[in-house]
């Protein structure tokens, strides 16, 4: 599909036929894969996520990391987490508190520098803390007394962020590091040598619910040990370079002790503490604090000298992965710029129709931007212009309606904030209001919803609700379909977009996101990868249906706020959802 090369500016990460791909079906498989790969890796483990939880399953990950570090002297482990979320206090069943820093403290004390934790602080939070530091400096000059612990090289862990103006979890609402990926590297055996590298692209965090009862997406790419890693596994090589680019802009956790106290890098301002009754720790200031430099480095990382279309048109079977970085705080807007263009892309050949015959969009939190909604409307208009806007029936599942545009969303029972109380209980209804605005826009284009389902009368779009008892839904991304045969043939998935982004206003305006558009080359690669995509969609559809009335989908019994108040709240906090 050369059209994609004319839309996306970045050179893709090309995965050839030596690398195997697999979509994991559920959270249990994801957790089992993590434990298995941590146990096998003897060279490198990189885990990037919003946070690492503190429950029993996460503690097993810590135990497995400790076991591998003790077995393999060359193993290096890197964790990249959000600064604010990693610092949040979590109440334990015994009444105490813990955090990511407390459960990893033993590894930091025993295995640093082979075990490193990097905490990325969003620029909007860092700016506030710098203002506090300036006040501390002024107060110190006037009185000779420090206003807080902002300039301490080390503080007791329970002195958690006393110098910070924004308390937890409000700081998380302002923006978080949200990139999710895993990389594992191990030596091959004596017979074939080389390295085996396994990467996992996902939207899941490293916590108990994401390992047991919260559905997400998980793409595993594995390169065999008989291959040279940097040449045939560009995905792993890209993630290694992404990690090396981001970590100099992070705080790094250091072990406590007299030797660490003398470390020059730990001297400076804005030194927050952790929270525990354990040993002291240090947080080294980021080596690089220039957000302009980070923007330049990331843009250089995802760009390339060769045109994307030239690589996609290669004759050898391969899969092209186009990385898109979204970080509004530093002015890097790849996802919000190019995804709407991709949705509204026209087919080549002068037909004027859409490049896609069908698009399926899934997100746990509906908060689409105006640009996204406009691109969806454009897609429907392009489909209408071809005379093929009506829905079709799946040959594999006759009860499944295949509309040109489909949304897969969580029902209230599977919404991540279903059990929330107080102010947070309004969030599902806020998402419902935002969904209503999207549907109103689609209605004005001539598609009227049915009375009792989320299928439009003209078949232009449909809604499917993920509704599974005691489960929540966290999958995000898109599936793009095209017809192999004539206009009556059933569309098949030919590309997908997945990553950390929820595709909403918050992801595009506040958080630091990483996603990949994945496109197989025509032929055997498209057939194999398309079948994997179809199985992934089918697995999600096993627990979704079209029978929930739209107007009642997100009625939260815990929400005590009147609808008029919720509408005001939704308008105010839209960019935080």
């Amino acid at each position: 599909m050369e059209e994609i090369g004319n839309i996306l500016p970045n050179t893709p990460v090309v995965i050839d036929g030596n690398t195997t791909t697999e979509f994991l079906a559920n959270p249990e498989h994801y957790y089992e894969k993590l434990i298995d790969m941590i146990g096998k890796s003897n060279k490198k483990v990189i885990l990037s996520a919003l946070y690492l939880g503190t429950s029993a399953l996460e503690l097993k990950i810590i135990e497995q990391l400790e076991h591998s570090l003790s077995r393999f002297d060359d193993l290096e482990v890197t964790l990249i987490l959000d600064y604010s979320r990693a610092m949040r206090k979590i109440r334990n069943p015994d009444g105490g508190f813990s955090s990511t820093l407390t459960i990893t403290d033993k590894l930091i004390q025993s295995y640093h520098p082979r075990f490193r934790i990097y905490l990325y602080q969003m620029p909007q939070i860092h700016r506030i803390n710098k203002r506090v530091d300036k006040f501390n400096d002024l107060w110190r000059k006037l009185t000779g007394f420090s206003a807080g612990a902002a300039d301490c090289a080390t503080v007791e862990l329970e002195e958690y962020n006393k110098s910070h103006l924004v308390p937890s979890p409000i700081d998380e609402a302002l923006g978080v590091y949200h990139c999710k990926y895993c990389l594992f590297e191990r030596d091959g055996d004596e017979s074939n040598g080389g390295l085996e590298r396994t990467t996992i692209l996902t939207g899941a965090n490293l916590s108990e619910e994401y390992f047991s009862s919260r559905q997400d997406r998980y793409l595993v790419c594995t390169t065999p040990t008989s291959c040279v890693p940097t040449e045939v596994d560009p995905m792993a090589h890209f993630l290694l370079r992404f990690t090396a680019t981001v970590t100099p802009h992070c705080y790094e956790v250091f072990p406590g002790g007299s030797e660490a106290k003398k470390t020059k890098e730990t001297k400076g301002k804005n030194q927050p503490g952790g929270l525990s009754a354990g040993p002291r720790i240090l947080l080294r200031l980021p080596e690089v604090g220039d957000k302009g430099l980070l923007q330049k480095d990331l843009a250089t990382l995802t760009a390339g000298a060769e045109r994307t279309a030239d690589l996609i048109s290669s004759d050898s079977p391969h899969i092209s992965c186009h990385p898109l970085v979204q970080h509004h705080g530093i002015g890097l807007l790849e996802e919000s710029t190019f995804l709407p263009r991709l949705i509204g892309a026209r087919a080549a050949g002068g037909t004027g129709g859409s490049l896609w015959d069908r698009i399926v969009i899934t997100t746990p939190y509906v908060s689409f931007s105006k640009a996204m909604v406009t691109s969806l409307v454009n897609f429907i208009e392009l489909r209408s212009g071809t005379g093929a806007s009506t829905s079709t029936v799946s040959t594999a599942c006759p009860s499944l309606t295949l509309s040109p545009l489909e949304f897969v969303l969580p029902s209230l029972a599977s919404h991540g904030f279903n059990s929330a109380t107080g102010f947070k209980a309004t969030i599902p209804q806020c998402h419902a209001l935002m969904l209503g605005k999207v549907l109103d826009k689609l209605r004005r284009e001539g598609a009227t919803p049915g009375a009792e389902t989320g299928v439009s009368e003209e078949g232009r779009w449909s809604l499917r609700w993920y509704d599974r008892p005691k489960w929540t839904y966290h999958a995000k991304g898109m599936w793009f379909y095209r017809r192999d045969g004539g206009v009556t043939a059933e569309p098949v998935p030919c590309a997908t977009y997945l990553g950390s982004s929820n595709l909403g206003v918050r992801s595009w305006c506040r958080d630091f996101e990483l996603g990949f558009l994945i496109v197989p080359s025509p032929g055997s690669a498209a057939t194999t990868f398309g079948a994997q995509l179809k199985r992934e969609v089918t697995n999600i559809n096993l627990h979704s249906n079209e029978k929930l009335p739209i107007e009642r989908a997100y009625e939260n019994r815990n929400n005590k706020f009147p609808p008029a108040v919720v509408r005001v709240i939704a308008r105010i906090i839209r960019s935080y959802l």
Side-chain angles (χ1 to χ4, degrees):
M1 286 180 284
E2 291 82 1
E3 298 92 340
I4 295 179
N6 298 323
I7 297 172
L8 300 182
N10 300 334
T11 298
V13 177
V14 179
I15 300 176
D16 72 0
N18 292 315
T19 299
T20 61
T21 59
E22 176 191 11
F23 283 94
L24 303 180
N26 56 54
E28 291 183 359
H29 292 172
Y30 173 52
Y31 182 69
E32 291 169 359
K33 191 70 174 180
L34 286 176
I35 294 295
D36 179 57
M37 294 310 304
I38 291 173
K40 292 179 178 178
S41 300
N42 56 16
K43 284 295 184 181
K44 195 179 296 291
V45 172
I46 298 176
L47 304 176
S48 174
L50 173 63
Y51 67 101
L52 174 66
T54 60
S55 301
L57 294 180
E58 297 93 297
L59 293 177
K60 186 176 179 180
I61 290 179
I62 298 299
E63 293 175 1
Q64 188 77 326
L65 287 171
E66 182 177 12
H67 179 63
S68 294
L69 285 165
S70 64
R71 287 176 58 203
F72 307 120
D73 293 338
D74 294 333
L75 177 62
E76 296 179 354
V77 179
T78 301
L79 270 63
I80 310 177
L81 308 169
D82 177 66
Y83 171 92
S84 301
R85 186 62 179 84
M87 292 287 191
R88 190 204 289 187
K89 296 180 180 180
I90 305 296
R91 184 176 292 276
N92 300 325
D94 59 4
F97 291 94
S98 61
S99 74
T100 298
L101 296 184
T102 64
I103 67 170
T104 57
D105 183 72
K106 181 180 178 181
L107 296 182
I108 285 291
Q109 302 295 334
S110 302
Y111 293 102
H112 188 275
R114 290 200 296 129
F115 178 82
R116 295 177 182 269
I117 298 180
Y118 293 96
L119 306 177
Y120 184 84
Q121 186 178 67
M122 296 299 288
Q124 52 266 45
I125 302 173
H126 189 66
R127 284 194 297 268
I128 296 175
N129 290 332
K130 286 184 68 175
R131 293 185 182 121
V132 175
D133 289 339
K134 290 180 180 180
F135 172 79
N136 283 349
D137 290 340
L138 179 61
W139 182 259
R140 187 183 301 107
K141 291 177 181 179
L142 294 176
T143 65
F145 178 76
S146 175
D151 64 338
C152 295
T154 60
V155 293
E156 294 291 346
L157 296 178
E158 60 264 22
E159 294 291 320
Y160 169 64
N161 280 351
K162 282 189 176 181
S163 65
H164 286 183
L165 183 64
V166 185
S168 177
I170 296 177
D171 51 357
E172 298 169 40
L174 298 179
V176 293
Y177 173 85
H178 208 234
C179 304
K180 283 89 174 276
Y181 60 88
C182 308
L183 188 149
F184 308 94
E185 185 179 281
R186 65 169 178 161
D187 285 324
D189 55 40
E190 295 181 358
S191 62
N192 53 30
L195 293 173
E196 178 181 284
R197 282 175 170 170
T198 297
T199 60
I200 303 178
L201 307 180
T202 183
N205 288 308
L206 301 172
S207 63
E208 185 174 25
E209 62 270 28
Y210 292 91
F211 301 147
S212 57
S213 59
R214 179 166 286 195
Q215 182 66 47
D216 215 300
R217 303 181 66 193
Y218 328 87
L219 175 60
V220 181
C221 304
T222 302
T223 301
T225 57
S226 58
C227 301
V228 180
T230 57
E231 293 181 1
V232 303
D233 193 2
M235 174 58 72
H237 189 53
F238 170 82
L239 294 178
L240 285 170
R241 290 185 294 140
F242 182 87
T243 300
T245 300
V246 173
T247 50
H249 299 265
C250 298
Y251 288 89
E252 183 181 354
V253 180
F254 273 73
S258 58
E259 181 179 354
K261 290 180 184 178
K262 298 177 182 179
T263 305
K264 292 184 178 181
E265 289 111 311
T266 62
K267 294 182 180 181
K269 302 174 184 178
N270 196 28
Q271 296 285 344
L275 54 146
S276 173
R280 291 190 172 200
I281 64 167
L282 297 172
L283 287 177
R284 187 185 68 182
L285 282 172
E287 296 177 7
V288 182
D290 185 355
K291 67 178 185 180
L293 183 59
L294 177 59
Q295 192 271 349
K296 180 181 178 181
D297 290 344
L298 289 174
T300 302
L301 177 65
T302 58
E306 298 179 90
R307 279 182 50 80
T308 303
D310 296 336
L311 288 173
I312 292 181
S313 60
S314 174
D315 294 333
S316 61
H318 64 272
I319 297 175
S320 298
C321 301
H322 306 259
L324 295 178
V325 179
Q326 183 75 16
H327 192 340
H328 190 277
I330 63 173
L332 197 57
L333 310 176
E334 294 181 349
E335 185 178 280
S336 61
T337 299
F338 298 106
L339 276 190
R341 295 183 188 179
L342 189 68
I343 293 172
R346 294 176 179 268
T351 61
S354 173
L355 175 62
W356 316 109
D357 291 302
R358 186 168 186 255
I359 297 177
V360 178
I361 301 176
T362 186
T363 178
Y365 312 122
V366 181
S367 178
F368 297 142
S369 69
K370 291 182 179 179
M372 174 68 94
V373 176
T374 300
S375 68
L376 296 176
V377 172
N378 291 340
F379 168 71
I380 287 182
E381 290 177 344
L382 290 174
R383 294 292 300 136
S384 300
T386 64
S389 62
T390 56
S391 60
T392 58
V393 177
S394 170
T395 56
C397 182
S399 62
L400 179 62
T401 302
L402 300 179
S403 301
L405 177 61
E406 180 174 284
F407 302 94
V408 181
L409 309 172
S411 68
L412 175 62
S414 297
H415 194 285
F417 289 88
N418 173 44
S419 59
T421 58
F423 178 78
K424 288 185 178 180
T426 65
I427 293 179
Q429 194 169 349
C430 289
H431 287 148
L433 290 172
M434 296 175 186
L435 173 62
K437 291 183 178 180
V438 175
L439 301 184
D440 286 342
K441 184 72 173 177
L442 296 178
R443 289 187 185 108
R444 288 197 295 271
E445 299 303 320
T448 305
E452 293 299 329
T453 71
V455 182
S456 66
E457 288 182 352
E458 297 185 7
R460 296 182 180 180
W461 54 266
S462 62
L463 292 173
R464 295 189 65 83
W465 305 100
Y466 186 91
D467 191 40
R468 188 174 183 180
K470 298 182 180 180
W471 278 59
T472 54
Y473 188 69
H474 198 255
K476 65 282 297 274
M478 302 182 190
W479 295 271
F480 299 91
Y481 291 67
R482 297 185 76 174
R483 286 184 169 90
D484 286 337
V487 294
T488 59
E490 179 181 332
V492 295
C494 61
T496 188
Y497 184 78
L498 81 161
S500 62
S501 173
N502 293 316
L503 309 177
V505 175
R506 177 186 172 91
S507 292
W508 288 3
C509 295
R510 297 197 172 275
D511 296 339
F512 185 175
E513 309 281 7
L514 175 64
F516 293 87
L517 175 68
I518 305 176
V519 186
S521 63
S524 60
T527 301
T528 302
F529 192 73
Q532 294 177 350
L533 290 176
K534 196 168 185 178
R535 284 194 296 269
E536 183 193 28
V537 175
T538 301
N539 178 65
I540 292 176
N541 284 335
L542 289 175
H543 304 283
S544 62
N545 62 77
E546 301 171 342
K547 303 302 181 183
L548 294 180
I550 298 172
E551 293 79 8
R552 299 178 56 189
Y554 285 174
E555 287 185 359
N556 192 344
R557 295 180 181 179
N558 296 326
N559 178 19
K560 306 301 182 182
F561 292 87
V565 175
V566 174
R567 283 194 292 270
V568 174
I569 292 175
R571 179 170 296 183
I572 294 174
I573 67 173
R574 180 171 178 261
S575 67
Y576 298 90
L577 296 175

